[in-house]
Amino acid sequence: MSNSPYVIVGAGPAGVIAAETLRTNNPVTPVLMIGEEKEAPYSRMALPYLLAEDIKETGTHLRHTDGHFDTRGIEIRNDRVSAVTAAEKSVTLASGGTQAFSKLLIATGSHAIRPPIPGTDLPGVENCWTLEDARAIAAKASKGSNVVLMGAGFIGCIVLEALAARGVHLTVVEMEDRMVPRMMDQTGGAMIKSWCEAKGVTVLTSTRIEEIAANNGALKLTLGDGKSLDADLVVCAAGVKPNIAFLEGSGINTDTGVLVNDRMQTSDANVFAAGDVAQGIDFSTGANEIHAIQPTAADHGRTAAMNMIGIDTPFQGSLSMNVLNTLGLITSSFGQWDGVAGGDTAEITDNDRFRYVRLSFQDDVLVGALSLGMTQHVGVLRGLIQSKVRLGHWKERLMANPLLIMEAYLARTQGSVFGI
Amino acid sequence: MQKALLIDPEKCTSCLQCELACSFEQEGVFNPAKSRIKVFEFEHGLKAIPYTCTQCSEAWCLHACPVEAITINEATGAKEVNPNTCVGCKVCTIACPFGTINYNADSGKVIKCDLCSGDPACAKACPTDAITYVDANWTGYDRMQEMALVGHGRPAKGAAQ
Ligand SMILES: Cc1cc2nc3c(=O)[nH]c(=O)nc-3n(C[C@H](O)[C@H](O)[C@H](O)COP(=O)(O)OP(=O)(O)OC[C@H]3O[C@@H](n4cnc5c(N)ncnc54)[C@H](O)[C@@H]3O)c2cc1C
Ligand code: SF4
Ligand code: SF4
């Protein structure tokens, strides 16, 4: 075969981890990563810490050693891929011309979207998705300014923490009836809300922003109940959409994102997808889902690269999971925390101390979990779910006291020596 | 030859010397709550299992880190957190399926076992040899790691570091 390179579209975490895995396991075939952002490969996840001024821009970079990519023989090109012709194993570049590939990885992530209301295109309305966005927010979110955060989903709540650290007057507006509705149930969502309010943030749930209008160099927001809010800056965290538009006419199957099998392979055998753009196998349901999180981007990138090389590597599916810090209150969620039909759930709640743990079981196997106010050994929730450890008599103990998760894990994986 | 912590729960009397030694070595205080090795007690302390990071070859924590704050110490094989790079995002704490990398609210960063640069304080402090520091290819250690890995889907072998 020709020595066309492995081509990776997108230089975010999924693309970078794939490029490194390709290099480590196949030193022969060239690796070319094409990314449209004019930055060194960086991590979106680090942006809140840049906004909070914990780190400088270089602290957001995915790799910190000078010449990291050069010495590994990974070529990075700043360009945008505008089309893919899978049948001809070639991509079209926005700067003109085409690039042949032996295998292609689509790791283009997603882009932030704005809700369909008037005024979202006004100056002073910003997303918080790219490094460029973070620079724009940093320029406007000065101490004491009025900032409205539109959306209290997972990303919104991370941004909330960063904005609060800048000392702004913060109001959060969320359409749904609680904060982080896709990661927390009513109990947890309500606790996060009262925690944030106690820290001086105004939280409006079940509230819509109907319109944003210019107002003497600032902005005026009209809410669903007719009230209004003044803002110097509106930060929009109202959802994202996978970057798949350039795949139109490529012959590659897409749904919400790029559809892939358990080898991260698309409908075209030479084309793979990974990260936020890939609608990959969900560990819990086996269905194709998008899990737009860092650990999934990393797992996808590594698995896709191995399969691109031809080292058959099945993927067991990604577990939906998140960890969040809202002004010091730490929460996490894993898998099917909302429970499954015919399963059981166990809960322990301490409203005064902001503690909450909820476990969901199917038979004697943990399938989902929520935790609030817990920082030690949370990872074992992933371990229990993903390795499908049969809990046996420990299930009853966990039903009585959900805090014994670490003990249950140890007893069931190492305790056989003493029959615990 | 790289070495590893070998833990034999049957020898553990839950005296907590390891936790005290670890917290003193790493944090400068005798405080089990700040220890990176943790003794889990069963049946009111009659049985106990000391537990810490096995420096697993999958290194889920390292791969999940968005800013390359976790790297491998070539001499010891330990996966080490660089506190200057760590932003405290905690993604590693949910990525590690063993629950052995944890957030420390005091520093705003995560902490985990780093094998004390090759001279682990816990092993030195353990009076019953329930924790020993031995050649990594010793079969008992392999067995222990196997046990800890029961059923975990292994990710790509030889994946990038
Ligand atoms: C503020 C913020 C906080 C977050 N916090 C967390 C968190 O705490 N935990 C967590 O797990 N996740 C978090 N995430 C999500 C996490 O950052 C993403 O899951 C991760 O970045 C996905 O990586 P990726 O490589 O798939 O995509 P991306 O990081 O989006 O990278 C894709 C790259 O491809 C480029 N690209 C797109 N189209 C083209 C094209 N046609 N040609 C060339 N290049 C193209 C894009 O410009 C981009 O640079 C956060 C995200 C944000 C924005
Ligand atoms: S902290 Fe967890 S994932 Fe990281 S090396 Fe240790 S056991 Fe492995
Ligand atoms: S908490 Fe620190 S070490 Fe862990 S993933 Fe985040 S930046 Fe990396």
Side-chain angles (χ1 to χ4, degrees), chain A residues 29-336:
Chain A
T29 311
V31 175
L32 169 65
M33 191 158 53
I34 304 172
E36 67 174 339
E37 287 187 78
K38 289 186 182 54
E39 326 278 357
Y42 72 95
S43 175
R44 306 202 183 295
M45 268 198 70
L47 298 177
Y49 306 95
L50 175 68
L51 280 177
E53 295 177 356
D54 290 346
I55 53 170
K56 298 199 172 25
E57 282 199 4
T58 51
T60 69
H61 292 173
L62 282 160
R63 299 294 177 255
H64 301 288
T65 318
D66 282 343
H68 175 91
F69 296 103
D70 288 348
T71 52
R72 281 169 177 73
I74 296 167
E75 187 192 340
I76 304 183
R77 200 180 294 166
N78 181 215
D79 208 334
R80 191 169 65 81
V81 170
S82 54
V84 175
T85 316
E88 288 169 22
K89 296 175 83 171
S90 139
V91 299
T92 308
L93 301 172
S95 66
T98 59
Q99 168 68 52
F101 61 80
S102 61
K103 293 275 190 298
L104 179 71
L105 179 68
I106 299 163
T108 49
S110 346
H111 61 277
I113 52 170
R114 302 214 171 157
I117 56 165
T120 54
D121 50 354
L122 286 168
V125 183
E126 302 290 349
N127 298 326
C128 185
W129 192 249
T130 63
L131 197 46
E132 201 52 50
D133 294 337
R135 292 177 190 129
I137 293 172
K140 288 174 197 144
S142 45
K143 201 171 164 73
S145 59
N146 287 319
V147 179
V148 175
L149 177 62
M150 197 192 302
F154 176 61
I155 302 289
C157 283
I158 297 173
V159 176
L160 179 158
E161 165 100 5
L163 290 170
R166 297 184 69 85
V168 305
H169 279 294
L170 188 58
T171 305
V172 185
V173 185
E174 167 60 47
M175 229 160 59
E176 293 197 39
D177 62 359
R178 61 182 186 276
M179 294 177 82
V180 271
R182 270 167 293 284
M183 121 165 220
M184 271 294 146
D185 60 5
Q186 289 291 354
T187 311
M191 281 184 173
I192 300 176
K193 182 175 175 179
S194 58
W195 176 278
C196 290
E197 287 172 336
K199 301 263 170 181
V201 175
T202 308
V203 183
L204 307 174
T205 44
S206 303
T207 306
R208 271 173 191 279
I209 297 174
E210 302 281 352
E211 186 179 354
I212 307 174
N215 179 28
N216 290 330
L219 297 163
K220 194 172 246 345
L221 284 70
T222 311
L223 304 180
D225 59 7
K227 293 196 180 118
S228 67
L229 285 175
D230 288 316
D232 301 303
L233 169 70
V234 174
V235 177
C236 179
V240 297
K241 265 210 168 110
N243 292 321
I244 54 171
F246 72 108
L247 293 175
E248 214 168 292
S250 65
I252 295 162
N253 282 350
T254 58
D255 178 35
T256 312
V258 181
L259 290 166
V260 291
N261 63 17
D262 67 351
R263 267 46 178 194
M264 305 313 298
Q265 194 171 32
T266 69
S267 56
D268 186 291
N270 296 311
V271 182
F272 295 73
D276 282 10
V277 75
Q279 199 170 337
I281 310 291
D282 174 297
F283 170 84
S284 303
T285 63
N288 280 81
E289 302 275 357
I290 292 182
H291 290 162
I293 52 171
Q294 177 81 21
T296 296
D299 290 349
H300 274 183
R302 291 155 75 199
T303 310
M306 296 306 278
N307 287 300
M308 286 167 76
I309 294 169
I311 304 171
D312 187 45
T313 308
F315 182 57
Q316 68 163 163
S318 54
L319 184 67
S320 167
M321 56 184 189
N322 285 123
V323 58
L324 181 66
N325 187 353
T326 31
L327 311 173
L329 180 62
I330 293 161
T331 46
S332 68
S333 73
F334 298 83
Q336 294 166 301

Side-chain angles (χ1 to χ4, degrees), chain B residues 2 12 20 31 40-41 50 57 60 62 66 74 76 84-85 96 100 102-103 110 126 129 131 141 147 150 156:
Chain B
Q2 285 190 345
C12 176
L20 292 169
N31 180 355
F40 290 89
E41 294 185 7
S57 53
W60 315 75
L62 177 153
E74 295 298 338
T76 62
N84 297 320
T85 320
C96 165
T100 50
N102 293 304
Y103 182 62
V110 293
C126 178
D129 281 348
I131 307 168
Y141 172 70
M147 265 191 303
V150 172

Side-chain angles (χ1 to χ4, degrees), chain A residues 17 20-21 24-25 43 45-46 49 55 59 61-64 68 294-295 298 302 306 313 316 321-323 325 330 332 334 375-380 382-383 386-387 394 406-407 409-411 413-415 417-418 420, chain B residues 9-10 38 40-43 47-51 58 60 63-68 85 87-91 93-100 102-103 144 147-161:
Chain A
I17 290 166
E20 291 166 353
T21 310
T24 311
N25 294 282
S43 175
M45 268 198 70
Y49 306 95
I55 53 170
H61 292 173
L62 282 160
R63 299 294 177 255
H64 301 288
H68 175 91
Q294 177 81 21
R302 291 155 75 199
M306 296 306 278
T313 308
Q316 68 163 163
M321 56 184 189
N322 285 123
V323 58
N325 187 353
I330 293 161
S332 68
F334 298 83
T375 55
Q376 300 305 296
H377 316 298
V378 278
V380 88
R382 178 192 193 180
Q386 211 155 327
S387 53
W394 275 90
M406 195 66 203
E407 284 80 358
Y409 176 76
L410 285 173
T413 56
Q414 303 185 20
V417 281
F418 354 95
I420 43 180
Chain B
E10 281 176 285
K38 193 90 201 124
F40 290 89
E41 294 185 7
F42 298 86
E43 299 175 7
K47 296 167 180 173
I49 302 180
Y51 191 63
E58 284 75 9
W60 315 75
H63 293 295
C65 178
V67 293
E68 205 184 19
T85 320
V87 293
C89 72
K90 304 165 213 64
V91 159
T93 72
I94 58 169
C96 165
F98 309 112
T100 50
N102 293 304
Y103 182 62
M144 183 186 128
M147 265 191 303
L149 283 168
V150 172
H152 282 294
R154 310 273 178 126
K157 272 276 175 272
Q161 315 256 297

